Amino acid sequence: MEMKEKNVMIELREMSKSFSTKNGMVHALDKINLKIEKGEIFGIIGMSGAGKSTLVRCINLLERPTEGDVFFDGVNLTALPPAELRKARQSMGMIFQQFNLLMQRTALENVCFPLEIAGVKKEEARKRAEELLEIVGLADRKHSYPSQLSGGQKQRVAIARALTTNPKVLLCDEATSALDPNTTRSILELLKDINKRLGITVVVITHEMSVIEEICQRVAIIDSSKIAELGTVEKIFTTPKSAIGKQLVYSESRPQTNFDDSNTRYCRIVFDGETSFEPVLANMILECQGVVNIMYANTRNIDGQAYGQMVVQLPPDEKMAKKMLAYLEAKHVNFEEVDYV
Amino acid sequence: MFKEGILQMLGVGIYESLYMTLISTFVAYVIGLPVGLILVCTDKEGIRPIVWLNKLLGFIVNVLRSVPFLILMITVIPVTRAIMGTTIGSKATIVPLVIGAAPFIARMVESSLKEVDKGVIEAAESMGASPFQIMFKVLLPEAKPSLLVGSAISVTTILAYSAMAGAIGGGGLGAIAMNYGYYRYQEDIMFITVILLVIIVQILQEVGMRIAKISDKRL
Ligand SMILES: Nc1ncnc2c1ncn2[C@@H]1O[C@H](COP(=O)(O)OP(=O)(O)OP(=O)(O)O)[C@@H](O)[C@H]1O
Ligand SMILES: [Mg+2]
């Protein structure tokens, strides 16, 4: 038990946050319990207004929880006096959707900023800042002002800035939501690289499943102020349990369509990295001597393994359909009968 | 055209007007800038909310701002006498000018500082910046262009006030316009002083705006 706790970087314990507004109390977070492990890339996903931003902002106490505790590397932040809290914050980098760079400072001066705050000497700060701009691939733009940089470049500067103080954690609130798909991919690559190279724990807030899929190892789904589901990305992608999880996973790339002819049966087959999908389907067809109609197929590459799902229309012949399902059962294929795609 | 004496008088008028305006602007900023800063920081949405202080300062500023300048000048005569030892001339005018302009400047500064992106302040907080560090490393530098625009507006407003002070014994171009145009019906001299005032306002305004524009890195 004690050993296990040593691997925990961030822990939220029975944490709630309410806002009092003119129209009464808004309960943004309700008794959240969450452990984020050292060195992992942890995703938090949910619909707009679910409470994602509030949750990350509670991690570094930009927002003070109304109830409960926030532990950071074993220290209870909610109990710290202001000066010590500020000190602790220097070990937590944060990047934002809108970059939030100082507009009147150059890229280099922006990256120097946290070091100035921490009281590091000027030349030393400059040297470190230049190293970091190198890491994020912007060494040649160090004298540019934010207004002269593209969105992706601004986010790189923000990442460099967040890393100058050697933080243990990097909090990312919708860090790629203002960027186009290609830039998003490159920023996600950078985050992954930073996580691998520097061993920094990364917390990624997003409303896009694709972001989670791209870089996260574990994910928590937030829905109406609570954690609806939590688990490894593979698990949640292949077998989401909560309603919100199903909605996020299955309807990400297409609108959900219900089939109205109730005579036909459909089956959703899940590929969880243990069965490769081609032989399964081909073998089933050969074995059962019947054909299926592929209604939908989508496979993804998660951490180097194939994951995905496919919805097939079973043959109208009742016996044949049964035979096929039995075959899948026998092969330990993960499947379920569905009435929607 | 004009007698030597009149040209010299206008020269002195320009000098006195600029002297009153610039000194008053400077002193008014020494008071107004910190007050504006405190108003922003102690606001309930600010980086260091102190509600009572904010309310108190806001109230004082509003009271001073709602007194018309001419009335203010007369009401503060005892203060002027106590500080300057006299109640006439351009030196004496500095006191009411400062008292009249400081609250105005405080509000200008407040509105400039409020333009600073909340997200940037939050980013600084997330890095562990203290309220003082945020004030001096974020709020003031990020608001600099806007503060400079504000100072161009303030300086011209104070020049206009200083001309008004001419009516009750202040010095400068305002006094000349008053003495010649109003008391002696020499409208030509009054017109010249008005034109001079317009030119000075234009120059101050233009210079202020240029500096603001050059200093702004947002393009
Ligand atoms: N300062 C605040 N005052 C009042 N209510 C707030 C405040 N901040 C957040 N809320 C409310 O808390 C809830 C959660 O907001 P939050 O910003 O955390 O959502 P989110 O999941 O980040 O959404 P989005 O994807 O749109 O950014 C919302 O109902 C929001 O209106
Ligand atoms: Mg948000």
Side-chain angles (χ1 to χ4, degrees):
Chain A
M1 189 69 196
E2 197 60 45
M3 279 303 285
K4 200 164 172 278
E5 291 300 301
K6 276 203 175 135
N7 293 325
V8 175
M9 182 58 89
I10 295 164
E11 182 180 354
L12 308 179
R13 227 180 264 171
E14 292 288 301
M15 192 191 77
S16 301
K17 174 73 192 179
S18 320
F19 297 100
S20 49
T21 66
K22 285 190 198 81
N23 307 321
M25 294 291 265
V26 177
H27 301 286
L29 293 172
D30 187 18
K31 294 210 187 336
I32 300 285
N33 284 298
L34 178 63
K35 284 180 188 173
I36 296 174
E37 282 161 26
K38 284 185 181 164
E40 73 174 328
I41 304 186
F42 190 90
I44 295 171
I45 191 169
M47 303 290 185
S48 183
K52 308 180 293 291
S53 294
T54 309
L55 196 149
V56 260
R57 294 159 54 80
C58 279
I59 293 178
N60 60 5
L61 255 61
L62 280 180
E63 214 74 79
R64 196 165 269 276
T66 351
E67 271 172 66
D69 296 303
V70 179
F71 290 87
F72 169 60
D73 207 9
V75 177
N76 187 349
L77 294 184
T78 40
L80 290 183
E84 277 174 56
L85 172 62
R86 290 200 288 269
K87 195 93 194 137
R89 278 178 179 163
Q90 290 173 7
S91 309
M92 289 189 260
M94 187 168 189
I95 57 173
F96 306 83
Q97 181 173 0
Q98 295 307 329
F99 324 123
N100 293 346
L101 297 176
L102 294 147
M103 298 305 280
Q104 307 293 342
R105 282 179 174 232
T106 62
L108 186 67
E109 288 166 345
N110 262 288
V111 181
C112 283
F113 184 74
L115 295 172
E116 278 175 37
I117 297 289
V120 175
K121 281 208 210 73
K122 246 210 165 91
E123 307 97 75
E124 207 175 308
R126 233 185 118 89
K127 218 174 119 237
R128 172 98 183 113
E130 285 185 358
E131 275 169 31
L132 275 152
L133 281 177
E134 192 81 48
I135 291 181
V136 300
L138 272 182
D140 54 331
R141 301 304 303 271
K142 63 183 173 189
H143 295 305
S144 301
Y145 286 93
S147 59
Q148 300 164 322
L149 298 172
S150 72
Q153 290 170 329
K154 281 186 221 174
Q155 198 59 290
R156 280 167 190 273
V157 174
I159 291 171
R161 182 175 71 171
L163 295 177
T164 39
T165 48
N166 279 321
K168 294 175 187 161
V169 171
L170 183 62
L171 306 171
C172 315
D173 188 3
E174 304 269 8
T176 57
S177 299
L179 306 173
D180 66 55
N182 278 332
T183 317
T184 294
R185 212 161 301 129
S186 77
I187 292 290
L188 293 179
E189 274 310 312
L190 177 63
L191 290 177
K192 220 187 212 169
D193 184 50
I194 284 163
N195 165 262
K196 275 221 180 82
R197 267 214 274 174
L198 310 174
I200 295 175
T201 310
V202 181
V203 181
V204 174
I205 303 292
T206 182
H207 61 271
E208 291 169 297
M209 242 5 212
S210 58
V211 170
I212 299 282
E213 169 193 341
E214 196 102 13
I215 63 169
C216 295
Q217 281 120 36
R218 289 199 306 147
V219 59
I221 303 179
I222 303 236
D223 184 33
S224 35
S225 320
K226 289 189 168 76
I227 293 180
E229 195 166 347
L230 188 152
T232 62
V233 171
E234 296 93 87
K235 194 91 194 146
I236 289 195
F237 260 95
T238 49
T239 48
K241 298 250 158 28
S242 62
I244 182 77
K246 285 182 180 163
Q247 198 180 337
L248 282 165
V249 173
Y250 300 146
S251 64
E252 154 131 284
S253 47
R254 67 226 141 84
Q256 186 167 312
T257 44
N258 287 310
F259 300 118
D260 41 9
D261 66 307
S262 49
N263 293 331
T264 333
R265 295 166 70 182
Y266 298 90
C267 171
R268 189 169 69 84
I269 304 169
V270 175
F271 302 98
D272 52 12
E274 278 160 31
T275 43
S276 61
F277 76 106
E278 304 256 28
V280 167
L281 211 61
N283 290 345
M284 181 181 81
I285 291 165
L286 286 174
E287 187 100 344
C288 306
Q289 296 290 312
V291 288
V292 293
N293 211 350
I294 296 174
M295 306 304 291
Y296 168 79
N298 181 19
T299 56
R300 315 166 188 244
N301 184 341
I302 300 169
D303 263 355
Q305 282 180 296
Y307 292 91
Q309 52 167 314
M310 184 179 279
V311 176
V312 296
Q313 183 184 24
L314 297 173
D317 176 6
E318 185 74 16
K319 247 174 91 186
M320 179 63 77
K322 267 216 177 96
K323 203 170 161 190
M324 285 180 165
L325 294 178
Y327 176 86
L328 291 175
E329 187 85 64
K331 293 284 172 193
H332 302 295
V333 173
N334 198 341
F335 71 95
E336 64 178 336
E337 272 201 73
V338 289
D339 56 0
Y340 61 86
V341 168
Chain B
M1 210 169 86
F2 287 116
K3 286 187 211 112
E4 189 79 350
I6 289 183
L7 280 182
Q8 203 187 339
M9 178 187 72
L10 289 173
V12 171
I14 292 173
Y15 168 78
E16 284 184 351
S17 283
L18 284 177
Y19 165 86
M20 285 189 291
T21 305
L22 296 179
I23 302 258
S24 307
T25 307
F26 176 78
V27 179
Y29 261 95
V30 168
I31 300 167
L33 190 66
V35 172
L37 196 54
I38 296 171
L39 279 173
V40 171
C41 295
T42 59
D43 186 88
K44 63 178 187 302
E45 306 272 285
I47 53 172
R48 186 77 179 76
I50 309 175
V51 176
W52 67 265
L53 182 60
N54 190 275
K55 288 236 163 86
L56 180 69
L57 276 179
F59 178 74
I60 295 170
V61 165
N62 285 346
V63 167
L64 287 175
R65 292 244 307 150
S66 52
V67 182
F69 183 64
L70 214 55
I71 313 275
L72 180 84
M73 238 167 49
I74 297 163
T75 3
V76 300
I77 279 176
V79 183
T80 308
R81 186 175 292 123
I83 296 175
M84 294 293 185
T86 173
T87 59
I88 52 168
S90 31
K91 221 174 112 187
T93 314
I94 290 174
V95 175
L97 278 181
V98 168
I99 297 175
F104 169 75
I105 286 171
R107 287 289 185 216
M108 294 283 279
V109 168
E110 182 187 19
S111 92
S112 290
L113 296 179
K114 280 205 164 147
E115 282 167 28
V116 175
D117 189 355
K118 287 260 181 315
V120 177
I121 297 169
E122 198 154 81
E125 282 182 323
S126 79
M127 294 167 207
S130 69
F132 271 103
Q133 284 172 322
I134 292 175
M135 279 186 212
F136 293 102
K137 285 180 180 291
V138 180
L139 282 177
L140 290 172
E142 286 293 295
K144 193 167 100 186
S146 170
L147 288 169
L148 286 169
V149 170
S151 72
I153 296 169
S154 303
V155 82
T156 51
T157 306
I158 292 173
L159 181 70
Y161 281 176
S162 83
M164 217 192 287
I168 58 153
L173 290 173
I176 295 171
M178 204 70 194
N179 290 339
Y180 284 81
Y182 190 70
Y183 296 118
R184 295 195 210 163
Y185 303 107
Q186 283 192 359
E187 272 133 7
D188 47 354
I189 291 183
M190 186 185 73
F191 274 123
I192 289 173
T193 56
V194 170
I195 288 167
L196 284 173
L197 281 170
V198 170
I199 292 172
I200 294 173
V201 167
Q202 289 295 332
I203 292 173
L204 290 175
Q205 185 75 26
E206 193 61 25
V207 169
M209 291 305 198
R210 287 252 170 106
I211 296 174
K213 201 157 179 203
I214 290 168
S215 83
D216 195 351
K217 308 303 183 197
R218 287 172 297 181
L219 299 187

